[in-house]
Amino acid sequence: MGVPPSPPPQGRPVEGNLVRRLPKLLCSLLLVASGAPDTRSVTPLGQIVPAPASVRPGGEPYVISARTVIRVPGQSREARKARTAAEQLAGVLRPSTGYRLPVTTRGGRDGIVLKLGGDRGLGAEGYRLDSSRASVTIIAPKAAGLFYGLQTLRQLLPASVEKAERQPGPWKVAGGTITDEPRFAYRGAMLDVSRHFFTVEQVKRYIDQMTLYKINTLHLHLSDDQGWRIAVDSWPRLATYGGSTQVGGGPGGYYTKDDYREILRYAADRQLEVVPEIDMPGHTNAALASYAELNCNGVAPPLYTGTDVGFSSLCVPKDVTYDFIDDVVRELAELTPGRYLHIGGDEAHSTSHEDYVAFMDKAQAVVGKYGKTVVGWHQLTGAKPVKGAVAQYWGTAGTEQEVVDAAKAGTKLVLSPANRIYLDMKYNENTPLGLSWAGYVEVRQSYDWDPGAYIKDTPSSAILGVEGPLWSETLSTSDHIEFMAFPRLPGVAELGWAPPSAHDWESYRTRLAAQGPRWEALGIDYYRSPQVPWPGK
Ligand code: TNX
C-alpha cells in the first residue's frame, strides 16, 4: 500500500522576520550537519493533480542535468508514440533548463528512461514511475501510460520549468515510486465552438492544458443554433453560411476538413480521443438557415446570434431530413478515428415527444450504420437508446428515473452534472463571465462529489467517466476559456482519474494550490478562488 498523497506545499521562499525564519534556518543547518538530503526545494512525490493511485516516497532525488539523456528504446508503433511524447516533454524542458536533453533509442539505465512493458495489470493508461539518484524510469504496458507518466514527471519538477526562457535549477525529482492508473476510462472536456468560434490554434492551446491533467477525451460541440463549424462537402452552405456568424454577431468561422484533421492529429499525439457532436433535432438553427428544404414550412429562418435555446428543430416527418443526417454523419464518421459520434438531443423543446423518439431511432441507426458508437445528452434516455449507446448526464440531482432505468438496462453514463462541472457556470455572483442557471459553482462544490455514487441506485460500474463542458455563450477568447476552466478542469480530471480513497478536499486544495505557479509560468489565466491556499497569497 502506498501513502495517501496529502503533503503540504514546500519550497516556498522564506519570508518574514528573523524570529519567524529561525526554526527553518535551524532546520536547514541540522539537515546539512546530518548529511540528510535537502529536499526542501523538491515537490513531494504525491503532490500532483490528479492524485496518483499509490505513492511510495523514499531515496534520493533524481537531478536533471546537462548530461541527462531521454531514453525510449524500441521500434514498435507504441515505442514511436512514446518517443513523440518524450520529444514533447523535451520541448518543455529544453528552453527553461538550457540542457540539450537528447531523445535516443539507445537503451541504458541512466537518465529519463521510458520503457514499454511491466505489469500488464496497469492497463492501457497506467504506469509506474521510479525516481532515484541514477534515473527516472517510467514503465508502462502502452504508450498512453508512458505519456501519463511523463505528465506526472512534469508536475514533479519546479513550476519554472514551464517558462520559455532559461531559469536557475536545480531540477530535482523526489525519490520514490508512483504506481498509477485511472479510475474511469473516459475523462473529458467539452468545448462549445458553436456559440463562439475558436480557431485551430485556440483549440490546440486548450488541448495542451487538458493533457497536463491526463484528460483523454475532447468533445467538440460543432453545431448549434448560432453556428455550424465543420465543413460538409455534400451540404457546403452549412459551413460557409451557417458558420458565418456567432453569438453577438461576430464573424464566426468553421473548420475545413484539413483544419479538423490537424486538430485530430494534435489530439492523437497527446492521447486524446476527439468526440465530434452534431446537435439534433434541436439546436439546429444554423442548419435550418442554410437550407430552406430542411424546414417543415420550406422557409429558411435568419441566422441567429442570441443566446436562447429550444426554439429550433429539424423537420422530423420530411425524408430530406434523413438524407441530410446520413450525409453529415457519413462525412463526419469518415473523418473520425475515434469510437464515438455525439448526436446531442438536448433541449428539443420544439419537437413533440413522439417525434423526438422517432427521430432518435433514425439518427442512432445512421450512426451505427457508419460504424460509430452513439453518444447523446441524457434526454436520449427518454427515447430508446440503442445497445451500446452512451448518455451524457447534465442534470443537477442524479435522480431522473429514465436515466436510472437506462443505466440499469446497460446504457453507460458520462457524468457532467451542471451544478458541479459545467465549467461555464459562474464561480460566484461577481464572476464577470459565464452563466448561473445551475447556481454558482465554486472550486469545492465542483470537486466534492463522487461520480461513482452520484446517480440514484446506480453502481459505479455504469459510469464510463466524467466530462467538464464549457459552453461559450459568454466566452470568446482563450483567456475566457482559461478563466472558467482553471481551476475547475483539474478537479474534473481528478474525479476521473484518482481512486475514491484519494478523494479529499483538504489534500486536493493543497495540491491544486501548487499548480498556480505552473499556470502563471504557462500564461494560463485562472480564477484565484479564496478556497484554495495559493502560494504567496
Ligand atoms: C444547456 S447542456 C445546454 C446548452 C447551453 C448550456 C449553458 C445542454 C446539453 N444544453 O445549450 O449552452 O446549458 O450552460
Side-chain angles (χ1 to χ4, degrees):
M1 270 313 288
V3 179
S6 57
Q10 297 183 12
R12 296 195 203 164
V14 180
E15 289 164 9
N17 59 34
L18 191 64
V19 179
R20 273 204 282 135
R21 289 165 61 178
L22 213 53
K24 275 194 178 169
L25 286 172
L26 279 173
C27 179
S28 333
L29 281 174
L30 281 173
L31 278 172
V32 173
S34 70
D38 176 3
T39 54
R40 286 168 311 149
S41 61
V42 185
T43 302
L45 206 57
Q47 189 172 284
I48 62 170
V49 177
S54 156
V55 180
R56 211 187 274 278
E60 287 187 55
Y62 177 73
V63 186
I64 296 180
S65 73
R67 291 183 307 280
T68 297
V69 169
I70 307 179
R71 302 182 186 281
V72 196
Q75 293 305 333
S76 64
R77 230 182 84 130
E78 289 294 295
R80 282 203 304 276
K81 280 198 222 165
R83 267 197 296 282
T84 302
E87 283 293 355
Q88 288 162 6
L89 182 81
V92 173
L93 270 44
R94 283 173 190 145
S96 49
T97 62
Y99 304 148
R100 277 181 55 236
L101 303 173
V103 175
T104 169
T105 54
R106 249 177 293 140
R109 287 162 176 266
D110 65 303
I112 297 171
V113 185
L114 302 191
K115 272 193 206 159
L116 285 161
D119 178 3
R120 298 188 58 179
L122 287 171
E125 299 191 310
Y127 67 92
R128 199 181 82 194
L129 180 151
D130 290 295
S131 171
S132 66
R133 198 184 148 91
S135 76
V136 173
T137 300
I138 304 172
I139 181 158
K142 293 276 186 191
L146 294 176
F147 180 83
Y148 295 131
L150 286 173
Q151 304 314 311
T152 293
L153 170 59
R154 187 170 166 186
Q155 281 193 33
L156 291 172
L157 289 165
S160 56
V161 86
E162 308 289 349
K163 294 197 176 163
E165 310 83 36
R166 194 158 173 176
Q167 305 294 316
W171 307 106
K172 289 185 190 172
V173 181
T177 297
I178 291 178
T179 312
D180 204 7
E181 62 182 307
R183 178 182 184 189
F184 293 110
Y186 187 117
R187 305 177 303 280
M190 188 207 84
L191 184 62
D192 172 6
V193 296
S194 179
R195 270 55 175 273
H196 280 97
F197 181 65
F198 294 95
T199 63
V200 173
E201 286 312 307
Q202 288 174 311
V203 174
K204 285 183 179 176
R205 183 174 165 89
Y206 195 35
I207 286 177
D208 285 342
Q209 294 162 3
M210 49 186 89
T211 58
L212 268 171
Y213 299 100
K214 306 185 175 82
I215 295 276
N216 69 356
T217 308
L218 168 63
H219 168 185
L220 286 174
H221 184 75
L222 289 169
S223 71
D224 212 303
D225 293 318
Q226 297 86 346
W228 187 285
R229 306 300 180 200
I230 178 81
V232 177
D233 298 334
S234 47
W235 297 73
R237 271 175 63 82
L238 290 170
T240 56
Y241 182 70
S244 66
T245 191
Q246 59 187 359
V247 168
Y254 65 90
Y255 307 121
T256 64
K257 286 193 170 173
D258 279 345
D259 288 341
Y260 193 72
R261 286 188 196 102
E262 175 62 15
I263 293 174
L264 291 171
R265 187 196 60 76
Y266 197 82
D269 279 351
R270 287 155 185 80
Q271 301 295 336
L272 277 177
E273 180 166 343
V274 177
V275 179
E277 178 187 353
I278 299 295
D279 203 343
M280 52 181 119
H283 291 276
T284 43
N285 188 76
L288 297 168
S290 305
Y291 288 97
E293 64 263 42
L294 294 176
N295 297 270
C296 282
N297 65 1
V299 179
L303 292 168
Y304 181 69
T305 59
T307 59
D308 287 348
V309 296
F311 60 87
S312 57
S313 180
L314 292 173
C315 186
V316 175
K318 267 193 174 177
D319 287 344
V320 66
T321 297
Y322 305 97
D323 297 340
F324 165 78
I325 292 171
D326 198 281
D327 287 335
V328 169
V329 169
R330 173 175 44 77
E331 290 195 33
L332 199 52
E334 273 167 16
L335 274 175
T336 301
R339 293 160 280 186
Y340 303 114
L341 206 147
H342 201 309
I343 54 172
D346 59 310
E347 298 174 322
H349 305 319
S350 306
T351 319
S352 71
H353 178 69
E354 205 185 358
D355 275 0
Y356 181 80
V357 175
F359 177 86
M360 280 306 192
D361 279 350
K362 290 192 179 175
Q364 292 184 94
V366 176
V367 173
K369 172 176 162 193
Y370 293 111
K372 297 297 174 189
T373 297
V374 170
V375 188
W377 296 104
H378 76 258
Q379 280 70 19
L380 175 64
T381 62
K384 290 180 272 170
V386 293
K387 194 167 181 299
V390 174
Q392 182 168 8
Y393 181 80
W394 62 282
T396 56
T399 53
E400 290 84 344
Q401 197 55 45
E402 66 261 31
V403 175
V404 175
D405 292 343
K408 217 163 261 160
T411 298
K412 292 274 189 254
L413 304 177
V414 169
L415 300 184
S416 305
N419 56 346
R420 301 286 187 177
I421 55 174
Y422 257 35
L423 302 178
D424 64 316
M425 290 299 119
K426 290 176 183 287
Y427 296 98
N428 60 51
E429 62 190 5
N430 297 318
T431 308
L433 303 165
L435 306 175
S436 57
W437 65 262
Y440 301 125
V441 182
E442 250 292 356
V443 179
R444 182 171 189 169
Q445 160 76 10
S446 192
Y447 172 79
D448 230 350
W449 60 286
D450 177 7
Y454 179 79
I455 301 285
K456 184 180 72 137
D457 302 334
T458 302
S460 184
S461 56
I463 308 303
L464 192 58
V466 291
E467 181 179 294
L470 189 51
W471 300 99
S472 64
E473 286 94 333
T474 65
L475 315 175
S476 58
T477 68
S478 284
D479 268 2
H480 293 168
I481 292 178
E482 290 157 24
F483 185 77
M484 298 311 277
F486 289 87
R488 291 179 295 198
L489 181 66
V492 176
E494 171 139 328
L495 288 167
W497 181 284
S501 60
H503 188 95
D504 177 61
W505 166 248
E506 288 304 324
S507 154
Y508 177 66
R509 68 198 278 267
T510 308
R511 288 180 287 111
L512 187 61
Q515 300 297 308
R518 193 165 300 270
W519 301 335
E520 281 158 38
L522 285 165
I524 299 176
D525 192 18
Y526 68 99
Y527 164 60
R528 268 86 170 162
S529 167
Q531 298 182 330
V532 180
W534 308 108
K537 295 274 146 52

